[in-house]
Amino acid sequence: MGNDYLHGLDRAHLVHPVVSWSSHEQQGATILESGSGAYLRDSEGRQYLDGFSGLWCVNIGYGHDSVVEAATRQMRQLPYATGYFHYSSEPSIRFAEAIARRTPGDLDHVYFTLGGSDAIDSAVRFIRYYHNVTGAPQRKHFIALERGYHGSSSTGSGLTALPLFHDHFDGPSAFQHHIPSYYPYRNPVGPSEEAIIAESVRALRATVERLGAENVAAFFCEPIQGSGGIIVPPRGWLKAMHQVCREYGILLVVDEVITGFGRTGPLFALEEEGVVPDLMTMAKGLTSGYAPLGAVVLSERVYRGIADNAPAGKPVGHGFTYSGHPVSCAVGLEVLRLYEEGGLLANGQRVGDYFQQRLAELVEHPLVGESRGRGLLGAVELVTDKTRKTKFDSSLRLPDRLLTLGRERGLIFRAFADDIIGFAPPLCCSHADIDLLIERLSSTLDAVLEKPDVRAALRQPVSGKRSVQAS
């Protein structure tokens, strides 16, 4: 009765993000009850390997008592402190300093938000304010990448370039523009890294010049595209785009909401390019999902531009009630300690190499056109024809079927709308956990291949299943 009662309440009252509301009324929820390490258990007692870290966020894994203790201590001592009216709290001060010490270059000024979407909105507001008070009020246009994801808030959803987040929401806005993704697997210029970078540079230049360089405020990008299908750029891509922004006087915003905190290997993915953007957004792994928190980190140039040019004595009119929440910041400090002193960052780097190796083996499967990723962020893209890279017809509803088959095998992953399966396993994973993930994924692919309509859609002969078992 307990579970039936909860399912009924869920259907009647809880609105879920990014689902069909009518479909959810019919399907209902899988109610998660507990977690430990890389594993979850639902209210029916079934166990799952969480290959997606919640929603790209539980980087340290589940069940770390030291994080619970840090939150408990702070809740007992001071559960809330406003940042308004020049008030502060020790956890928010210490966490801001800890972040500033680890971000590259002069990214030294931290504004705390509740998550990634409002970090993007805050960045947009700060950029507008900066240009308005530094003598460039005409800079109103923002450029981002197709297939990019920058949240689902009113402003961020327009910078996001995934149709689902625009449909029936009247997005994007007229000031938001997109250039093609670099997408090496499907780039019209071919697989050459030099050609892909050159084409992205050309597209950014063309868009800037069409709008007028003096009218462009900023360029937003992820170091690796996440919700667009875990698309990894060629080495040197981010550095090349940064150079174009510098040439035109455009601010560069690097969105590390998904890629930050060890997800791709280093603490931040942009470290591999040696790029220092003007602003940087983060969330998810910032607290490993144990408490809501996001942040915008501003460079000295942007911070001083606002601080020194805002009307004297007039407050900068942007703020959230829970900015710098002391409990969330106390959680973040302990999570950061676990990344570094607790060895999780180093473990993620070791296991990430193994994960990419095992994921690459799946290209032998009849359904897999490509595997890709970096560190503990990876994807396989499914096709009907490996040579032509043709996609499955949407009528097959492959993503829904994959999710169901994976769940039946005790594996949680992301099935993107265009037949890409995404993974972001926790940094606490062992090699054995990765072997189990690959084994269950291979079994899921074999199961979907058994479906007659899927098998009929393949344009190459299938001589037999090619399972990739644990090694």
Side-chain angles (χ1 to χ4, degrees), residues 218-234:
F219 174 61
F220 279 68
C221 67
E222 304 157 273
I224 294 173
Q225 291 191 295
S227 294
I230 306 181
I231 303 175
V232 183

Side-chain angles (χ1 to χ4, degrees), residues 56 59 255-264 266-269 280 282-286 339:
W56 330 78
N59 290 12
D255 183 345
E256 289 260 10
V257 168
I258 288 173
T259 54
F261 300 97
R263 175 54 58 201
T264 69
L267 195 63
F268 300 110
M280 182 175 171
M282 59 186 69
K284 296 192 183 292
L286 182 64
Y339 286 136

Side-chain angles (χ1 to χ4, degrees), residues 394-408:
S394 60
S395 65
L396 293 175
R397 297 177 56 252
L398 202 57
D400 291 342
R401 296 164 82 174
L402 286 164
L403 283 176
T404 299
L405 291 166
R407 186 163 53 243
E408 290 172 355

Side-chain angles (χ1 to χ4, degrees), residues 259-313:
T259 54
F261 300 97
R263 175 54 58 201
T264 69
L267 195 63
F268 300 110
L270 57 70
E271 293 177 32
E272 296 187 305
E273 293 277 319
V275 166
V276 180
D278 298 288
L279 299 95
M280 182 175 171
T281 58
M282 59 186 69
K284 296 192 183 292
L286 182 64
T287 60
S288 200
Y290 279 59
L293 196 68
V296 183
V297 189
L298 295 85
S299 66
E300 181 72 10
R301 170 193 172 194
V302 173
Y303 176 82
R304 288 256 60 90
I306 293 174
D308 296 342
N309 293 285

Side-chain angles (χ1 to χ4, degrees), residues 119-368:
I120 294 293
D121 276 18
S122 297
V124 169
R125 282 174 63 77
F126 290 145
I127 289 166
R128 285 172 170 161
Y129 199 104
Y130 169 83
H131 286 309
N132 284 335
V133 299
T134 57
Q138 78 285 352
R139 288 189 180 269
K140 302 300 184 191
H141 292 278
F142 292 78
I143 302 172
L145 286 176
E146 293 175 0
R147 303 186 72 92
Y149 183 79
H150 301 288
S152 61
S153 59
S154 294
T155 299
S157 61
L159 290 170
T160 290
L162 299 171
L164 179 68
F165 295 89
H166 298 164
D167 293 345
H168 310 297
F169 286 111
D170 299 335
S173 299
F175 64 87
Q176 296 169 323
H177 312 270
H178 301 95
I179 62 173
S181 168
Y182 41 80
Y183 204 173
Y185 184 59
R186 296 184 180 277
N187 198 301
V189 303
S192 163
E193 294 190 350
E194 293 80 6
I196 290 170
I197 292 173
E199 177 57 22
S200 286
V201 166
R202 185 207 64 77
L204 181 56
R205 287 185 187 278
T207 302
V208 169
E209 290 174 6
R210 174 175 60 82
L211 296 169
E214 72 282 2
N215 299 319
V216 178
F219 174 61
F220 279 68
C221 67
E222 304 157 273
I224 294 173
Q225 291 191 295
S227 294
I230 306 181
I231 303 175
V232 183
R235 303 278 182 178
W237 179 90
L238 184 59
K239 187 173 292 186
M241 303 306 272
H242 185 216
Q243 181 58 38
V244 175
C245 291
R246 285 286 173 267
E247 289 175 15
Y248 287 107
I250 298 166
L251 297 180
L252 172 64
V253 184
V254 174
D255 183 345
E256 289 260 10
V257 168
I258 288 173
T259 54
F261 300 97
R263 175 54 58 201
T264 69
L267 195 63
F268 300 110
L270 57 70
E271 293 177 32
E272 296 187 305
E273 293 277 319
V275 166
V276 180
D278 298 288
L279 299 95
M280 182 175 171
T281 58
M282 59 186 69
K284 296 192 183 292
L286 182 64
T287 60
S288 200
Y290 279 59
L293 196 68
V296 183
V297 189
L298 295 85
S299 66
E300 181 72 10
R301 170 193 172 194
V302 173
Y303 176 82
R304 288 256 60 90
I306 293 174
D308 296 342
N309 293 285
K314 184 176 181 179
V316 176
H318 182 69
F320 300 136
T321 298
Y322 299 114
S323 180
H325 195 285
V327 177
S328 292
C329 289
V331 166
L333 283 164
E334 176 57 18
V335 167
L336 187 58
R337 188 192 70 80
L338 290 173
Y339 286 136
E340 297 176 343
E341 296 175 27
L344 285 172
L345 189 66
N347 185 72
Q349 291 165 354
R350 288 190 299 270
V351 177
D353 290 340
Y354 184 66
F355 174 58
Q356 294 301 325
Q357 172 192 326
R358 295 299 325 269
L359 202 64
E361 296 171 17
L362 287 168
V363 297
E364 297 298 321
H365 194 280
L367 294 174
V368 177

Side-chain angles (χ1 to χ4, degrees), residues 1 9 26 57 108 125 144 215 223 228 241 278 322 352 410 424 449 470:
M1 177 178 175
L9 292 179
Q26 299 171 22
C57 58
D108 291 334
R125 282 174 63 77
N215 299 319
M241 303 306 272
D278 298 288
Y322 299 114
L449 183 60

